[in-house]
Amino acid sequence: MDSIKQHKHIIITGDQVNPLGVLRSIAEGGINPIIIYAFESRFRKVVISSRYVKKYHKVFSYEEAIDLLIDTYGNECVKPFVYTCDDTIASLIDLRYDELANKFFFFNAGRQGKINELLNKQVQCRLAEECGLAIPRQEVVDTGVLPKTLKYPVLTKTLKSTMGRWKEDYFICDNKEQLMEAYKVIQSPQLLLQEYIQKKNELEIWGFSINGGQEVYLPFQKSYFRLSNSSYGGYMYFTPTRNKDLIDKITTLIKACKYTGCFEVEFLVDNNDKLWFLEVNFRFAMSNYAVTFGGVNYPLTWAKSLLENKIQMNSEIKEYFTAINEAQDFGQSVVGKKVSLLQWIQDIHNADMLFYYNPKDSKPAWAFWWYKIVRKFRKKLLKR
């Protein structure tokens, strides 16, 4: 990967575990990425506590981050790579595509505004159905309006993840009374209502594409040991993606989107093992480092594929491994009383990889748990 070491690699991020994984992947490829850190907290410093952070800029908004990106790195002799880890920054970068395209490599769909169009779940579902994927019955409504065609129970989803409170606007409603109660706290002005399908598991496919989706690589898929009806889980396992029919349909979907970049496609698995398309994330998703752990350096393999105009595949990948988002799983499983603390400790010990703790880079885990302790202590003081 010597050719990509000539380029600067820049992560625009808040303080989450998602960019921590991207940071670690790039660093393990022999490059210390630059961090543009858009976060206000004085206490939570998960990302910038990593031993791999050698240079970072602190700003207070993603808009300011993009301005700094252009002003500071917009005239490099060799185009830098810019990596995005959430939909808000992906949306903002997309809206400045024309300004950025000649200066940086970044995830895109070929023209300004296209990613924002694709963030609409109704648009995604239409494209997925055209590509042969099954989608739940659905209806778009203004918040407060009852569905005209769907039968209960229904799910409420923001039409775009950049609207409202995203996952906090998600409810399962068994009848119109429950839906009207949910409307009282939902902040998104528009919703995608979907039929409720009993969930046996979820399946997430990890991949990247180049040349506007003309070439696609799908190295891994992920399912869960523990999850709830209203959320994905924190304890999961990964295997190589080998379902040819599914690979072909996802490849067709990404090609239809004309997307270049890393992505994740999410499916619900029902009790009959049928797959139902949920959404595509046109950016890095939370467990991205698992792809690197499995044998494919996720960000750098995409970058090298882009430079060489050919997908770089790795034939020596892990056949199976487990992972735990220890912070999320502790809340869901231990605090939520799904498993005992002893069982959870055993699961942590037996897992092949953790999201926060990494033996080569342990400080982010301690920074996160210290932040949780300080936050809890401050809340107690405020109640007095």
Side-chain angles (χ1 to χ4, degrees):
M1 292 191 176
D2 289 340
S3 60
I4 60 173
K5 291 183 178 180
Q6 300 172 19
H7 301 255
K8 288 183 170 68
H9 296 258
I10 304 167
I11 304 171
I12 301 178
T13 178
D15 197 69
Q16 305 119 4
V17 72
N18 186 340
L20 178 63
V22 180
L23 164 65
R24 285 169 169 169
S25 293
I26 295 171
E28 288 178 14
I31 300 168
N32 290 117
I34 297 164
I35 307 296
I36 301 180
Y37 182 71
F39 202 69
E40 297 183 22
S41 174
R42 292 177 297 159
F43 301 103
R44 180 167 171 166
K45 298 180 179 179
V46 173
V47 174
I48 59 174
S49 66
S50 170
R51 65 185 286 257
Y52 300 124
V53 176
K54 305 301 181 185
K55 183 176 183 179
Y56 77 91
H57 307 270
K58 186 172 182 179
V59 295
F60 295 98
S61 71
Y62 283 153
E63 291 86 354
E64 187 181 346
I66 298 174
D67 289 338
L68 186 147
L69 173 73
I70 295 169
D71 292 343
T72 309
Y73 300 105
N75 294 301
E76 298 287 324
C77 296
V78 181
K79 285 171 66 171
F81 284 88
V82 178
Y83 301 97
T84 51
C85 302
D86 69 53
D87 290 333
T88 300
I89 185 61
S91 170
L92 291 171
I93 285 179
D94 176 59
L95 293 175
R96 297 177 73 170
Y97 173 92
D98 292 342
E99 190 178 358
L100 297 168
N102 292 326
K103 300 177 183 294
F104 303 96
F105 294 115
F106 56 94
F107 303 163
N108 70 86
R111 65 171 174 82
Q112 186 158 300
K114 181 64 175 179
I115 292 293
N116 278 273
E117 294 174 15
L118 293 171
L119 289 177
N120 186 307
K121 290 184 176 63
Q122 187 180 35
V123 171
Q124 288 191 20
C125 287
R126 175 179 56 79
L127 289 171
E129 190 171 33
E130 290 174 357
C131 296
L133 297 168
I135 64 169
R137 288 190 293 272
Q138 57 192 247
E139 189 174 337
V140 175
V141 300
D142 292 330
T143 299
V145 177
L146 294 173
K148 295 179 180 179
T149 60
L150 290 180
K151 295 181 179 180
Y152 295 95
V154 298
L155 305 177
T156 67
K157 294 183 176 182
T158 58
L159 192 58
K160 291 185 177 182
S161 59
T162 53
M163 299 169 66
R165 299 181 302 164
W166 191 26
K167 293 186 183 298
E168 292 181 24
D169 283 346
Y170 179 100
F171 291 88
I172 301 172
C173 303
D174 293 324
N175 49 55
K176 68 177 183 180
E177 288 76 20
Q178 290 183 9
L179 181 56
M180 293 305 295
E181 284 298 310
Y183 281 156
K184 292 178 181 179
V185 296
I186 288 173
Q187 293 184 10
S188 176
Q190 277 191 310
L191 296 169
L192 181 71
L193 300 182
Q194 286 187 339
E195 66 172 322
Y196 175 74
I197 297 172
Q198 185 65 44
K199 179 168 62 175
K200 177 181 178 181
N201 210 320
E202 290 190 17
L203 180 71
E204 297 169 16
I205 308 293
W206 294 78
F208 66 79
S209 57
I210 60 173
N211 297 327
Q214 295 298 314
E215 294 184 62
V216 177
Y217 182 31
L218 305 169
F220 286 105
Q221 63 185 42
K222 175 181 79 174
S223 292
Y224 295 92
F225 292 113
R226 293 194 283 262
L227 73 169
S228 69
N229 287 332
S230 59
S231 177
Y232 47 80
Y235 186 17
M236 61 208 74
Y237 60 94
F238 290 78
T239 56
T241 308
R242 294 202 172 108
N243 182 328
K244 187 178 185 307
D245 179 63
L246 186 59
I247 289 173
D248 289 344
K249 289 174 180 177
I250 293 174
T251 299
T252 303
L253 173 60
I254 299 302
K255 185 177 180 179
C257 294
K258 298 182 180 180
Y259 178 69
T260 294
C262 296
F263 62 88
E264 175 211 40
V265 189
E266 298 181 1
F267 296 90
L268 180 150
V269 184
D270 71 14
N271 287 326
N272 296 315
D273 291 327
K274 181 176 179 178
L275 296 181
W276 297 88
F277 172 84
L278 295 178
E279 65 178 336
V280 184
N281 289 310
F282 296 100
R283 36 95 177 156
F284 288 112
M286 189 182 300
S287 46
N288 62 79
Y289 180 70
V291 179
T292 298
F293 180 85
V296 179
N297 190 304
Y298 202 15
L300 294 187
T301 305
W302 170 74
K304 187 175 182 181
S305 297
L306 196 66
L307 291 177
E308 299 191 4
N309 201 34
K310 182 180 179 181
I311 294 288
Q312 306 296 303
M313 295 188 181
N314 187 350
S315 58
E316 297 182 5
I317 61 175
K318 295 182 187 297
E319 287 295 313
Y320 175 89
F321 61 95
T322 61
I324 297 181
N325 180 336
E326 57 267 47
Q328 177 185 347
D329 195 55
F330 182 82
Q332 287 183 347
S333 300
V334 180
V335 178
K337 298 183 179 180
K338 290 183 178 180
V339 300
S340 67
L341 177 60
L342 178 60
Q343 179 62 57
W344 184 78
I345 292 172
Q346 290 176 341
D347 291 339
I348 289 287
H349 176 73
N350 292 330
D352 294 309
M353 63 157 286
L354 303 176
F355 280 31
Y356 287 87
Y357 180 76
N358 184 307
K360 295 178 289 187
D361 184 35
S362 62
K363 285 185 178 180
W366 301 118
F368 174 80
W369 291 111
W370 175 245
Y371 160 76
K372 296 290 281 186
I373 292 168
V374 170
R375 186 184 180 194
K376 192 175 184 68
F377 182 69
R378 292 180 73 207
K379 282 185 175 181
K380 286 184 177 180
L381 287 178
L382 290 172
K383 288 180 180 179
R384 291 181 177 179

